[in-house]
Amino acid sequence: MELAELNAALDDPLLESMNFLNEVAIRFPDSVSLAAGRPVDDHFDPAELEGYLSRFRRYLSADLGYDQRRVAQTLFQYGRTKGIIHDLIARHLRVDEGVRADPEAIVVTVGAQEALHLLLRALRAEPRDVALAVAPTYVGFTGAARLMDLPVLPVASGTSGVDLADLRARLLQARADGLRPRCLYVVPDFANPTGISLDLPTRYRLLEAAREERLLLIEDNPYGAFTGQDGRLPTLRSLDTGAQVAYVGSFAKTVLPGARVGYVVADQRVRGRGHGYFADELGKIKSMVTVNTSPLSQAIVAGHLLAHDFSVIRANAAVATRYRRNMSLMLAGLERRFPAGGDVTWNVPSGGFFIVLSVPFRADDGLLEHSAREHKVLWTPMSHFYGRTGGETQLRLSCSSLTPEDIETGLDRLAALVAEQRSRAAQAPR
Ligand SMILES: Cc1ncc(COP(=O)(O)O)c(C=O)c1O
């Protein structure tokens, strides 16, 4: 079989990105990982799964009045394509986000990742179609777009999380080039990889720009529950009055990643046959991709929502405190090791999992391997989150699933790597 005869995306290094990073982590298990954007997992208790499952069963029989046979079918059988916990997700959105969403406009997906695929598949209609995305961009989005043959045009993030002047300029240029911009992908809360959040005025201005430009915003929000001291800002979806936002949610970081449950709220009306929701079109695609999201996984997530009065924010209060502590420890640890005004700098996110560090040397895949082998510390080269160029001298640090000791050890090792690379650069012939 010839690679050249397979889908061209498979020859794109972009699609190797996640596997490469996982593979480095597997090959160097004794490294401290400042790379993994995983939720903390030492509180996971298998006994809780049974509790969540029986909570959902009780809901089906007591609240919905299902008899035993129907309860069994709901859990055991193929199910409704758009999902079986859409009502509960709608209640969660009301409690945590102040969003009133019609449950019929929600598609429960296999992680947020499937939601991104469904959206991109639906939006990509013609060869001239393009997506825009705030850069640097989560590789799961750019990789999915690549698989859909949908080019992604970068929009500068700037310090506010999206540079609106750049957005307007990119749209103008794209249209002048005969392209058809279909959406802007944005992670407004503690973005992966930058950790940056959009402030409130920027959120309003972005919605206004989207309305004027008739551009759909894909709001992806896996980290919104993990705020810093400054508290939470309203999602774009909750501020949206013009059906401008398709909202992608994930229970991977807030409930459990292994369940693989996410969702998309897509209540845009689709003119043409039926005048239904955009979600119905996404459901058609889903029926040909994963058929339905595992009812057992949905049941676990539903049980968790029921057990916590539909609030993942409240359910995650204790872990969110740990993430805040880790972020403070990481920032303080960087300050102690890299003096202000020096050649190593970083941003100061107000929450979430990620920090971006800028260093005076190339921080590429080769250096990551060296770092893992010689210094036993892992991080993520920022170049993975850019298209062809960008981020060459930056690395993403994640502090989510580390102990305070790991943070100190990891930063010591990182500082040793930086010192080594500095002295190599000083010795290199000019
Ligand atoms: C920004 C962003 N979107 C989506 C995802 C994928 O979420 P899920 O695990 O629900 O597929 C991730 C996972 O790390 C992410 O960082």
Side-chain angles (χ1 to χ4, degrees):
M1 194 183 282
E2 299 290 329
L3 181 60
E5 290 173 2
L6 300 179
N7 188 301
L10 295 172
D11 203 17
D12 189 324
L14 183 64
L15 266 84
E16 303 272 14
S17 178
M18 287 208 200
N19 287 344
F20 168 75
L21 297 171
N22 286 337
E23 188 248 342
V24 175
I26 290 165
R27 270 199 295 136
F28 300 99
D30 54 345
S31 293
V32 173
S33 179
L34 307 178
R38 292 163 162 248
V40 65
D41 55 15
D42 53 12
H43 63 294
F44 288 161
D45 176 2
E48 277 181 18
L49 296 180
E50 287 144 38
Y52 292 143
L53 204 49
S54 60
R55 188 76 182 76
F56 184 58
R57 279 168 46 206
R58 273 208 312 283
Y59 163 78
L60 293 177
S61 51
D63 296 32
L64 300 189
Y66 287 11
D67 61 20
Q68 228 182 344
R69 180 160 167 70
R70 194 157 172 209
V71 170
Q73 277 174 340
T74 304
L75 291 170
F76 283 68
Q77 267 296 7
Y78 288 104
R80 180 177 174 273
T81 306
K82 287 196 294 176
I84 56 173
I85 63 168
H86 47 308
D87 284 303
L88 304 180
I89 292 175
R91 282 162 82 173
H92 149 62
L93 286 169
R94 203 168 331 138
V95 170
D96 274 345
E97 312 294 348
V99 162
R100 283 188 181 276
D102 182 346
E104 284 302 321
I106 294 173
V107 185
V108 187
T109 52
V110 180
Q113 191 63 29
E114 190 196 13
L116 297 177
H117 272 264
L118 301 182
L119 286 163
L120 290 169
R121 178 68 284 163
L123 291 170
R124 201 287 189 187
E126 299 176 11
R128 66 192 174 110
D129 289 344
V130 290
L132 283 83
V134 173
T137 315
Y138 167 57
V139 278
F141 179 82
T142 31
R146 182 74 184 84
L147 283 170
M148 301 300 165
D149 292 328
L150 189 66
V152 178
L153 307 181
V155 172
S157 159
T159 48
S160 67
V162 55
D163 179 335
L164 293 170
D166 192 52
L167 171 62
R168 301 268 195 185
R170 294 278 175 173
L171 286 168
L172 202 64
Q173 186 61 51
R175 287 174 181 139
D177 292 344
L179 302 173
R180 196 168 68 136
R182 305 294 284 135
C183 60
L184 171 72
Y185 172 75
V186 58
V187 184
D189 292 284
F190 320 118
N192 181 5
T194 59
I196 295 177
S197 296
L198 271 55
D199 62 23
L200 191 56
T202 305
R203 288 174 197 237
Y204 278 114
R205 282 204 295 273
L206 176 57
L207 282 165
E208 191 183 304
R211 199 166 45 247
E212 286 169 10
E213 300 283 354
R214 301 169 65 84
L215 188 68
L216 182 74
L217 300 176
I218 298 181
E219 177 177 32
D220 185 10
N221 187 20
Y223 305 102
F226 308 124
T227 50
Q229 309 300 341
D230 304 342
R232 304 186 69 228
L233 286 174
T235 59
L236 293 174
R237 176 61 183 75
S238 69
L239 300 172
D240 179 26
T241 52
Q244 218 61 57
V245 178
Y247 180 84
V248 175
S250 168
F251 294 109
K253 310 296 190 283
T254 51
V255 179
L256 73 162
R260 307 298 306 126
V261 178
Y263 62 91
V264 51
V265 185
D267 48 9
Q268 292 70 24
R269 288 286 176 186
V270 178
R271 283 181 296 279
R273 196 161 24 95
H275 203 70
Y277 283 128
F278 186 28
D280 297 319
E281 307 305 315
L282 301 178
K284 282 190 215 165
I285 301 171
K286 182 174 170 68
S287 75
M288 295 294 161
V289 182
T290 53
V291 184
N292 55 241
T293 302
S294 159
L296 293 175
S297 289
Q298 293 187 70
I300 300 287
V301 169
H304 186 279
L305 291 175
L306 288 159
H308 295 95
D309 295 329
F310 302 98
S311 177
V312 297
I313 304 282
R314 280 201 294 278
N316 278 274
V319 278
T321 307
R322 283 172 70 179
Y323 294 143
R324 269 196 292 280
R325 177 204 64 188
N326 283 4
M327 179 65 81
S328 310
L329 288 175
M330 186 87 110
L331 291 168
L334 288 169
E335 270 177 37
R336 278 200 306 283
R337 287 166 181 86
F338 303 109
D343 57 4
V344 176
T345 57
W346 56 93
N347 66 341
V348 181
S350 58
F353 289 6
F354 307 115
I355 297 171
V356 176
L357 194 75
S358 299
V359 291
F361 47 83
R362 281 183 79 84
D364 55 15
D365 290 356
L367 189 70
L368 170 59
E369 289 243 17
H370 168 79
S371 173
R373 183 171 292 111
E374 302 301 328
H375 297 276
K376 299 197 179 342
V377 62
L378 305 175
W379 36 270
T380 308
M382 278 292 288
S383 50
H384 283 253
F385 303 102
Y386 284 90
R388 279 185 197 84
T389 57
E392 290 85 359
T393 60
Q394 291 187 318
L395 32 108
R396 189 194 75 177
L397 303 180
S398 170
C399 57
S400 53
S401 55
L402 298 174
T403 62
E405 297 73 39
D406 284 342
I407 292 175
E408 293 306 322
T409 310
L411 289 179
D412 280 344
R413 294 177 183 180
L414 188 66
L417 171 77
V418 170
E420 174 199 74
Q421 293 302 307
R422 266 201 207 110
S423 75
R424 281 196 185 169
Q427 284 161 19
R430 282 165 202 269

